[in-house]
Amino acid sequence: MITASQTSGPFWHLIDFPEWADLLRAGGPNDGVAGSRITLTGTVTDGDGAVCPDAMIEIWQAGPDGAYEAGFHGFGRCATDAQGRFRFATLKPGPVPGPGNSLQAPHITLAIFARGLMHHLTTRAYFAGEALNETDPILALVPEGRRGTLIAREASPGHWNLDIRLQGDHETVFLDI
Amino acid sequence: MSFRPIPPGVFPPMDLPSYGSTHKRHPDQAPVRIPHTLTETSAPRFTSSAYPEHLDMSRHNGREAMGERIIIAGRVTDEDGRPQPGVMLEVWQANAAGRYQLDRDQHDAPLDPNFSGQARVFTDADGNWSITTIRPGAYPWRNHHNAWRPVHVHFGLHGAGFAQRLVTQMYFPGDPLLALDPIYQGVPEGARERLVAKFDLDVTRPEYALGYRFDMVLRGRLATPMENPA
C-alpha cells in the first residue's frame, strides 16, 4: 500500500530555496542553454477569492527541444508571496510526444502544495495562440468551457500569466494523474 | 509506461470538515483523469552534486542543537516492493521546543540557533536512507480550541516519475495527540498507522541516539505487454 499524502502545512519554507524559481540562474543547471526566455507568473486564490500567501508551486517541463532532462533541467519551485503570486524564469518548452503518435502542445506542469491541501494539486499551463493546442490530447479531455483555465496568456512579450483558482467560480481544472 | 492509479482508501479527502484550512481551498470539481504521458512518467533528475545532501540536523555550524538526538532511517520501495534508488528526500521539522526556524512561525517557544530544521538525503541502490536529527516538539495551532499538532517530521519525496511526487508527515509512536489531530485522523484507518514510525533498536546507535524506522511506499508501475513479454 502506498504511503498517504499529508499537507505541506504553512511552514514548508524551510525547503524554500528562492533561486530555484529561476531555472536560468547564473551557475545553475541551465546556464547557457539556448531557447526562448519566458517568465511564468500567476496568483493563487481560494474559494473566497482571497490570495494564498503560503503555497509552494513546483513546475516540471521539457526543454526547448521537447525532451525531458536532455540538456535542460526543467524543475523549479517558488513560494507564493504576500499577494499570492508566484514567478518563474525559464525557457519555453517545445512540443512533447503524446500517447500513440500524437504530439502534445508545449506545456508546463504545475504542482500546488499548501496548508489545507491534503495532497498536492496538479495542473498544466499551455500557451495561448499555440496551434498545437487545438489537437493536444490532454486538453481534449477537458470540457471546452473550462479549458481556458489551463491556457496562460501573454501579458507582455515573453511574460505569460496563469492564475490558479483552487475553488469556486472559474475554478482551475486540476488533473488526476 | 504509466504508474498505477492511487488506490481508494489511502489518501485523505481534500475536503476535510475537521481541518478548517481545507474549507476554502479544496476544489469543488472532480479532477480530470488523464493518461500518463512523458510529462507524468518522467521526473527531474536530482543528483547530490547539484543538490547536496545534508544528513545531520542535530548540529549546525559545528554546534549541537538542543533536544533529544534521534536517528530516523527507512527504505523507499514501490507498491511491488521494488527498492527505489536515487529518490531525493527533503525533510523539515520544528525544533525541540516546537518552533520552526522561520519568521512566519510566531509560536511563543524558543528558537535554537543551532537547529536549522532542514535535511536532504538520497536513497541508496537498495532504497535505504538515514538521517540524524532532534526529536521535534508538539506545537499549538488555531484549527480549533486547544489544538496541538502531534510531534511530526515533514518528508517530501522526488521519485522516478512526476506522478510519484509525494509530501507526507511522519509521526512518533505513543503520541497521545494522534487521536486528536484532524490531519492525521483524516487519513483512512489502515493507511494512517503507517505514517507512525517504529522504534527500532537496530537503528539505535549505542551511547548516541535512539533510532526510528520510517519506510515509505511510492506508486508502482503498471505492467504493460512491452515490459512483460509473453
Side-chain angles (χ1 to χ4, degrees), chain A residues 1-4 6-7 47 54 58 68-69 73 77 104 107 109 115-116 124 167 171 174 176-177, chain B residues 19 21 23-26 28-29 32 36 39-40 45 51 90 165 167-169 171 194 217 219:
Chain A
M1 188 191 279
I2 61 171
T3 300
Q6 293 271 267
T7 179
D54 52 10
E58 288 182 352
Y68 284 97
E69 286 290 13
H73 182 53
R77 174 183 291 163
Q104 301 186 72
H107 63 277
T109 289
R115 166 178 63 85
R124 287 184 175 196
Q167 185 191 84
E171 181 176 303
F174 298 104
D176 177 2
I177 65 166
Chain B
Y19 176 21
S21 291
H23 297 177
K24 292 295 179 184
R25 290 187 167 189
H26 72 84
D28 287 328
Q29 309 272 344
V32 173
H36 286 172
T39 304
E40 290 74 35
R45 189 177 302 133
Y51 295 86
E90 296 182 278
R165 182 81 173 96
V167 169
T168 189
Q169 299 182 29
Y171 300 93
R194 289 179 306 109
V217 181
R219 295 165 71 178

Side-chain angles (χ1 to χ4, degrees), chain A residues 40-109:
Chain A
L40 177 67
T41 64
T43 301
V44 183
T45 51
D46 70 11
D48 285 334
V51 301
C52 299
D54 52 10
M56 170 169 97
I57 314 295
E58 288 182 352
I59 60 169
W60 171 231
Q61 65 163 93
D65 60 354
Y68 284 97
E69 286 290 13
F72 185 78
H73 182 53
F75 173 80
R77 174 183 291 163
C78 186
T80 54
D81 64 16
Q83 284 75 47
R85 292 187 63 80
F86 61 87
R87 181 183 190 279
F88 292 96
T90 184
L91 296 180
K92 189 176 176 193
V96 174
N101 292 319
S102 68
L103 197 58
Q104 301 186 72
H107 63 277
I108 295 175
T109 289

Side-chain angles (χ1 to χ4, degrees), chain A residues 1-15 17 20 25 29 46-48 51-54 56 58-60 66 68-69 73 75 77 80 96-99 104 107 109-111 113-122 124 138 141-143 146 166-168 171 173-177, chain B residues 6-7 10-14 16 19 21-29 31-40 42-46 51 79 90-93 100-102 104-105 116-118 120 139 154 158 162-163 165-169 171 183-184 187 190-191 194-195 215-219:
Chain A
M1 188 191 279
I2 61 171
T3 300
S5 172
Q6 293 271 267
T7 179
S8 60
F11 301 128
W12 66 269
H13 300 77
L14 290 172
I15 58 158
F17 307 98
W20 289 11
R25 59 191 179 272
D46 70 11
D48 285 334
V51 301
C52 299
D54 52 10
M56 170 169 97
E58 288 182 352
I59 60 169
W60 171 231
Y68 284 97
E69 286 290 13
H73 182 53
F75 173 80
R77 174 183 291 163
T80 54
V96 174
Q104 301 186 72
H107 63 277
T109 289
L110 295 91
F113 304 77
R115 166 178 63 85
L117 295 184
M118 297 302 285
H119 45 95
H120 62 277
L121 297 169
T122 303
R124 287 184 175 196
I138 301 302
L141 298 173
V142 176
R146 300 186 65 207
L166 298 179
Q167 185 191 84
E171 181 176 303
V173 169
F174 298 104
L175 303 175
D176 177 2
I177 65 166
Chain B
I6 293 167
V10 177
F11 275 21
M14 294 298 287
L16 193 58
Y19 176 21
S21 291
T22 67
H23 297 177
K24 292 295 179 184
R25 290 187 167 189
H26 72 84
D28 287 328
Q29 309 272 344
V32 173
R33 177 103 190 132
I34 65 165
H36 286 172
T37 73
L38 209 48
T39 304
E40 290 74 35
S42 60
R45 189 177 302 133
F46 295 104
Y51 295 86
E79 284 172 282
E90 296 182 278
V91 190
W92 71 100
Q93 62 167 85
Y100 291 87
Q101 189 76 32
L102 289 169
R104 63 175 68 215
D105 184 359
S116 69
Q118 180 267 324
R120 185 186 297 145
Y139 57 83
H154 297 267
H158 301 264
F162 201 71
R165 182 81 173 96
L166 176 72
V167 169
T168 189
Q169 299 182 29
Y171 300 93
I183 294 175
Y184 173 75
V187 178
R194 289 179 306 109
L195 299 180
D215 296 323
M216 288 177 277
V217 181
L218 299 178
R219 295 165 71 178

